[in-house]
Amino acid sequence: MSATQDAPANCKVVLASTIAKKLGEEVREGVKTLNKAPLLVGFLSSGDPAARTYAEFTGKTCRENGFDFELREVDREDLEDAIIAANQDSNVGGIIVYYPIFGNRQDQYLQQIVDVGKDVEGLSHQYIFNMYQNVRFLDAAHKKKSILPCTPLAVIKILEHLQIYNTILPYGNRLHGHNITVINRSEVVGRPLAALLANDGACVYSVDIDDVQQFHRGQGLRKRKHEVVEKPGWTLENCLPLSDVVISGVPGDKFKVPLNLLREGAVCINFSSEKNFTPEVKEKASIYVPAIGKVTIMVLLRNLLRILQNRGESDATPADSLETRGTVEESNPA
Amino acid sequence: MSATQDAPANCKVVLASTIAKKLGEEVREGVKTLNKAPLLVGFLSSGDPAARTYAEFTGKTCRENGFDFELREVDREDLEDAIIAANQDSNVGGIIVYYPIFGNRQDQYLQQIVDVGKDVEGLSHQYIFNMYQNVRFLDAAHKKKSILPCTPLAVIKILEHLQIYNTILPYGNRLHGHNITVINRSEVVGRPLAALLANDGACVYSVDIDDVQQFHRGQGLRKRKHEVVEKPGWTLENCLPLSDVVISGVPGDKFKVPLNLLREGAVCINFSSEKNFTPEVKEKASIYVPAIGKVTIMVLLRNLLRILQNRGESDATPADSLETRGTVEESNPA
């Protein structure tokens, strides 16, 4: 009568396609409010096969969701002029450049060539500055949302879908109480992601190959933006047992998250193209998201709609058709 | 430009009245489906002033929500016969007895005198057994819900309101990943509460004056009900830094939860009539619920509706008008 029956481990695997589908509906609703299909122009200037695959996938997703996409393959020496021409062409709604191109600081230079009003990737300095400073709007009237970089924003949208953002808390503080480990501190994903999560109230452990940094708004979230504190001597052994959410994006197939350090019932998200979690993660995690790519590309289209709204080229109430509750993206702070 | 502005600590104080109001709407919807106002009979057989206050508050809440209430004051020597008479009276919908009466094991004897079909407090052995064994229905067809004791269930309803129950997880596992400290292990509240939370997937540290016990369904929630493990040598110093939810109900005004041990952003709930948390809890907690009484009394009325449904005296689809998503009480497991 009181016999204990053991069952398989309970882990909910959530696929990016499920979340992308939901975002897709939102995006297609937004496109309907426009007079014509928005044109996204992609620039491919390298032989990098991953860049070409990403470009092709962008095109496919654009067409499936009511956007036009044009891939412009130009020599890298001509790229700067080509971007400037696209900036000036009123038929071009948004611009995406497939990096790496030179693979050095010249790539960062090119990122600043794209017009801020056409930058769907959120790489312009103004957007990056706003993100780190926890400034969410471009205008005093709070009608124009600052653009967030696609991959970090995709992780945010996933955490929102997983209800890790608690909508009972006020806008801007909805990760309060969560300890989150982010493994990867690249300028493109890991560091902006840690900043976004901490600005929303989480205590974030940002783990790099060399060190651990804590991103946090302080006890009671008294600070209006996060601060970064070095944690000398800390490693994953310190961070993982504290963390209810673990997000990993280490490139290559060498690194695996040490599951013995994982907290029972942790939420685990992989954003590396290689799997940073071995399949046994399902023995301990409450929720596991094995990949995020499909969400990232949908966020890119979402950003394109957003910049059209910011430029006043959409008839929709600014930002309205894009909004869902609970995240850094919400338009009406409580 | 990048100056850090410190603000007051962010803590959302959630009042029991807010949650009781929501439950009240649900309860009044349920009453509408009945042919006549259900009668709750309360037995008062002691001079305990707290018992009388509770009885008066029950009557007031009944009348406000479409129930009839009758307080029967009887000598404690006549109580057993009076309960038996109420059991047999078809006009009596539910029975509540205000304890303590003898203040010894005779009170537990009296608890088993109340007809299981009229026991709104969920104190009958069958209900208690089901609760500890994680058996949620009285029948094979899963139409009749087992009754849960009011105060522990009130805490569950509060955690549901606070969105600590994550509805993205399957029914029965929606606290997976949460570490919860419950300070108090009384048979009436603390121990059943720890069991309910653990059966729903939480790792619970049940703290008594003497020791700490862990209630848990094991890694990956492989067990179908919780098991209890002694934690020799453990105290609040071990439990609190691990816990994202802290629930305290220590009687008297001596005990205060040591806030220095509290995890930043913890959710704190007090169910003692004295405050177990000092006001400074708001410096560290993300959410604070200072009292739960108004929710408890609404849960009592909810239980009364439930037993009427179980007895087939309600025209409503069994349990339907009472259900909300996400808790031990949900009728349609995913």
Side-chain angles (χ1 to χ4, degrees), chain B residues 296-327:
Chain B
T296 305
I297 203 111
M298 209 53 90
V299 162
L300 183 83
L301 299 188
R302 211 170 167 280
N303 275 356
L304 175 51
L305 272 185
R306 173 89 67 211
I307 60 175
L308 293 175
Q309 291 172 341
N310 285 351
R311 296 209 312 261
E313 291 179 18
S314 159
D315 288 339
T317 314
D320 233 35
S321 59
L322 286 177
E323 301 309 333
T324 52
R325 300 184 317 153
T327 73

Side-chain angles (χ1 to χ4, degrees), chain A residues 1-12 14 129 133 161-170 173 176-179 201 203 216-225 227 241-244 263-266 282-287 325, chain B residues 1-12 14 129 133 161-170 173 176-179 201 203 216-225 227 241-244 263-266 282-287 325:
Chain A
M1 199 160 185
S2 69
T4 299
Q5 299 159 268
D6 280 17
N10 283 286
C11 176
K12 186 176 177 83
V14 178
F129 175 83
Q133 291 290 326
H161 176 85
L162 301 180
Q163 303 183 32
I164 307 305
Y165 275 79
N166 189 343
T167 54
I168 205 161
L169 294 175
N173 294 343
H176 195 183
H178 287 286
N179 285 2
C203 171
H216 193 214
R217 283 171 47 208
Q219 186 176 306
L221 307 184
R222 287 175 170 273
K223 302 185 195 306
R224 56 155 291 281
K225 69 175 193 75
E227 293 186 353
L242 296 174
S243 296
D244 54 281
R263 193 178 162 113
E264 156 66 25
K282 286 178 251 177
E283 295 293 312
K284 270 184 126 174
S286 58
I287 303 176
R325 300 185 315 154
Chain B
M1 199 160 183
S2 68
T4 298
Q5 299 160 267
D6 282 15
N10 283 286
C11 176
K12 186 177 177 82
V14 178
F129 176 83
Q133 291 291 325
H161 176 84
L162 301 180
Q163 304 183 32
I164 307 304
Y165 275 79
N166 188 343
T167 54
I168 204 162
L169 293 175
N173 294 342
H176 195 184
H178 287 286
N179 286 1
C203 171
H216 193 215
R217 283 171 47 208
Q219 187 176 305
L221 306 184
R222 288 176 170 271
K223 303 186 196 303
R224 58 155 289 281
K225 70 176 192 73
E227 292 185 354
L242 296 173
S243 296
D244 53 282
R263 194 177 162 113
E264 156 66 25
K282 287 177 250 176
E283 295 293 313
K284 269 184 127 172
S286 57
I287 303 176
R325 300 184 317 153

Side-chain angles (χ1 to χ4, degrees), chain A residues 240-258:
Chain A
L240 288 181
L242 296 174
S243 296
D244 54 281
V245 178
V246 178
I247 305 167
S248 186
V250 179
D253 57 1
K254 295 283 186 297
F255 175 78
K256 300 291 172 193
V257 174

Side-chain angles (χ1 to χ4, degrees), chain A residues 8-311:
Chain A
N10 283 286
C11 176
K12 186 176 177 83
V13 178
V14 178
L15 299 179
S17 52
T18 307
I19 305 164
K21 196 177 160 200
K22 206 171 72 170
L23 288 173
E25 287 165 14
E26 208 180 318
V27 163
R28 287 190 297 277
E29 277 303 304
V31 172
K32 276 186 202 161
T33 67
L34 304 176
N35 299 322
K36 57 169 187 165
L39 173 62
L40 178 64
V41 169
F43 286 102
L44 189 61
S45 300
S46 82
D48 185 72
R52 178 170 297 275
T53 304
Y54 186 32
E56 284 165 359
F57 191 51
T58 317
K60 179 170 177 290
T61 310
C62 275
R63 286 184 293 272
E64 285 169 359
N65 290 280
F67 293 77
D68 285 336
F69 180 73
E70 194 181 310
L71 186 63
R72 299 183 182 174
E73 302 197 41
V74 298
D75 288 342
R76 62 187 194 176
E77 284 71 24
D78 301 329
L79 181 57
E80 184 169 349
D81 287 345
I83 294 172
I84 291 168
N87 283 343
Q88 292 164 347
D89 180 353
S90 63
N91 289 318
V92 175
I95 296 171
I96 175 171
V97 180
Y98 296 99
Y99 297 96
I101 294 159
F102 294 95
N104 57 29
R105 285 188 57 182
Q106 198 167 340
D107 286 2
Q108 279 83 69
Y109 170 79
L110 285 169
Q111 284 172 2
Q112 305 312 316
I113 298 296
V114 176
D115 188 294
V116 69
K118 296 192 176 182
D119 173 18
V120 293
E121 295 185 277
L123 298 174
S124 300
H125 177 75
Q126 187 187 353
Y127 294 142
I128 300 282
F129 175 83
N130 285 349
M131 181 190 62
Y132 283 112
Q133 291 290 326
N134 202 12
V135 172
R136 299 178 184 217
F137 294 90
L138 298 171
D139 59 334
H142 286 196
K143 293 289 180 192
K144 301 180 177 185
K145 303 295 297 292
S146 195
I147 302 299
L148 296 169
C150 300
T151 304
L153 181 53
V155 175
I156 300 286
K157 301 310 284 179
I158 288 166
L159 289 173
E160 178 191 25
H161 176 85
L162 301 180
Q163 303 183 32
I164 307 305
Y165 275 79
N166 189 343
T167 54
I168 205 161
L169 294 175
Y171 170 73
N173 294 343
R174 287 174 174 166
L175 292 179
H176 195 183
H178 287 286
N179 285 2
I180 304 181
T181 291
V182 177
I183 311 173
N184 170 317
R185 202 187 302 131
S186 68
E187 278 304 299
V188 186
V189 187
R191 191 168 82 95
L193 177 57
L196 282 170
L197 297 171
N199 282 342
D200 272 346
C203 171
V204 181
Y205 299 108
S206 169
V207 181
D208 205 356
I209 197 160
D210 295 319
D211 66 345
V212 174
Q213 295 176 350
Q214 184 185 40
F215 289 52
H216 193 214
R217 283 171 47 208
Q219 186 176 306
L221 307 184
R222 287 175 170 273
K223 302 185 195 306
R224 56 155 291 281
K225 69 175 193 75
H226 73 281
E227 293 186 353
V228 179
V229 178
E230 286 287 341
K231 304 295 277 183
W234 275 46
T235 67
L236 284 176
E237 290 202 32
N238 306 91
C239 310
L240 288 181
L242 296 174
S243 296
D244 54 281
V245 178
V246 178
I247 305 167
S248 186
V250 179
D253 57 1
K254 295 283 186 297
F255 175 78
K256 300 291 172 193
V257 174
L259 298 180
N260 60 312
L261 298 176
L262 206 63
R263 193 178 162 113
E264 156 66 25
V267 172
C268 297
I269 300 173
N270 172 67
F271 69 85
S272 171
S273 53
E274 311 292 332
K275 297 274 177 286
N276 284 179
F277 296 92
T278 54
E280 294 73 32
V281 68
K282 286 178 251 177
E283 295 293 312
K284 270 184 126 174
S286 58
I287 303 176
Y288 173 48
V289 182
I292 73 159
K294 286 178 182 169
V295 178
T296 305
I297 204 111
M298 207 55 87
V299 161
L300 183 84
L301 299 188
R302 210 168 169 281
N303 274 356
L304 174 50
L305 272 185
R306 174 88 69 210
I307 60 175
L308 293 175
Q309 290 173 342
N310 285 351
R311 296 209 312 260

